[in-house]
Amino acid sequence: MAVPANTYTRFTANTNVREDLIDKITMTNPESTPIISAAGKATAENTYHEWQRDSLRAPNKDNAALDGDDATASAKTPPQRVANVCQIFQDTISVSGRAEKVKKAGMKSAMAYNKAKAYKELQRDMEAMVVSANAAIAGSGGVASKSGGLGVLLYSNAQHGAGGSTVAHTSGAPTTAPTAGTGRALTEALIKAANQAAYIASGMIPPAVYMSPNHKGVFSSFAGIAVNRVEIAARARTPARPRSSAARMCTCPTSATSKSCLTTSWPARRWCSA
């Protein structure tokens, strides 16, 4: 059907119709930085930041001395002195006077908005550096300094495919990048091996496993521990079994996923005294 002649339509009024633009700006990218948010903070007083670390010798079940015997000094080694290099993360914002003055949708100040946006972007840059295999670069007048990422800092419990390796970081800054191994699929056996190696190296159970959304999908398919097992009385009138000093295994849930699906808490199996 045809529009009646001389009808004043929406298209006729195109020059004086007000825009319908909501006064908000929606950010479409993830902003969370779970790893650096979980890490502790310290203040560096030099661009070359150092710390010391030491380790205990292996336990000796045959460490037995004769009664009244002369003591002999054992060999001792000093702590390792290791370091990393401070990296400057920067973004430059330039806003003209007119752009700052005019009335804008979703923001009052273009400078304030872009500063807040840049702050989130710089946090994501820092997170990317932390999880990278970047080697530390001391820097110079013409070369920017770079911090070494976790890929070069972790070597005692690193998991590599065939041909891969990470140089032991025992002194100074980690300046050698890891050698990439042959690519392989993520398996439950690899996760368990990494968890066990971390415990053997540190004596602590890793509280969380961080992975990409794709790996989280694979991780969720692992069989893991089917059920939780706890010791309870069968009925209210049935007394619980006496507690003993024998060890028994306590099992924990395989995974508990956060809303972002990027952080997966994975309590490990452990032996605990009754």
Side-chain angles (χ1 to χ4, degrees):
M1 58 182 293
V3 177
N6 298 323
T7 300
Y8 192 89
T9 68
R10 164 65 180 80
F11 301 101
T12 307
N14 192 47
T15 59
N16 66 334
V17 174
R18 290 190 179 276
E19 63 182 7
D20 182 18
L21 176 62
I22 64 172
D23 199 26
K24 293 181 180 179
I25 299 174
T26 303
M27 198 64 66
T28 58
N29 301 99
E31 302 175 14
S32 62
T33 52
I35 296 180
I36 61 175
S37 297
K41 295 182 179 180
T43 301
E45 297 181 350
N46 195 330
T47 55
Y48 187 74
H49 186 63
E50 299 178 278
W51 63 97
Q52 297 183 87
R53 66 185 183 199
D54 206 348
S55 59
L56 303 175
R57 62 167 176 78
N60 180 12
K61 63 181 178 60
D62 297 316
N63 186 353
L66 291 173
D67 183 16
D69 193 12
D70 292 334
T72 302
S74 60
K76 301 298 180 184
T77 57
Q80 296 175 349
R81 184 169 174 171
V82 293
N84 208 341
V85 180
C86 292
Q87 180 173 333
I88 299 174
F89 295 86
Q90 72 89 32
D91 193 354
T92 303
I93 302 166
S94 178
V95 178
S96 71
R98 285 187 173 185
E100 186 70 5
K101 187 68 176 177
V102 296
K103 187 176 182 180
K104 296 168 285 293
M107 68 180 77
K108 182 177 181 180
S109 166
M111 176 60 76
Y113 173 79
N114 282 287
K115 285 173 66 176
K117 179 181 176 182
Y119 177 75
K120 295 175 182 178
E121 291 171 337
L122 291 175
Q123 283 188 309
R124 283 158 47 102
D125 291 345
M126 288 187 282
E127 182 91 343
M129 179 279 294
V130 168
V131 300
S132 75
N134 285 357
I137 298 176
S140 64
V143 178
S145 302
K146 281 189 176 182
S147 300
L150 290 176
V152 292
L153 290 169
L154 302 178
Y155 62 88
S156 61
N157 52 298
Q159 298 290 315
H160 293 284
S165 63
T166 301
V167 176
H169 172 223
T170 56
S171 65
T175 56
T176 303
T179 300
T182 303
R184 53 187 176 172
L186 179 66
T187 64
E188 187 173 0
L190 288 176
I191 293 289
K192 289 180 177 179
N195 190 59
Q196 184 183 58
Y199 179 80
I200 292 173
S202 66
M204 299 178 64
I205 296 176
V209 177
Y210 297 91
M211 59 188 67
S212 68
N214 179 61
H215 283 142
K216 178 59 182 73
V218 177
F219 181 87
S220 297
S221 68
F222 296 158
I225 303 169
V227 295
N228 296 335
R229 294 187 288 277
V230 295
E231 185 179 7
I232 59 174
R235 295 180 182 177
R237 64 175 180 271
T238 303
R241 289 179 294 173
R243 298 176 64 86
S244 67
S245 59
R248 64 172 180 268
M249 189 171 72
C250 299
T251 59
C252 306
T254 304
S255 65
T257 311
S258 69
K259 292 189 296 183
S260 66
C261 292
L262 291 176
T263 306
T264 302
S265 296
W266 187 51
R269 298 184 186 185
R270 62 183 301 180
W271 288 91
C272 56
S273 58

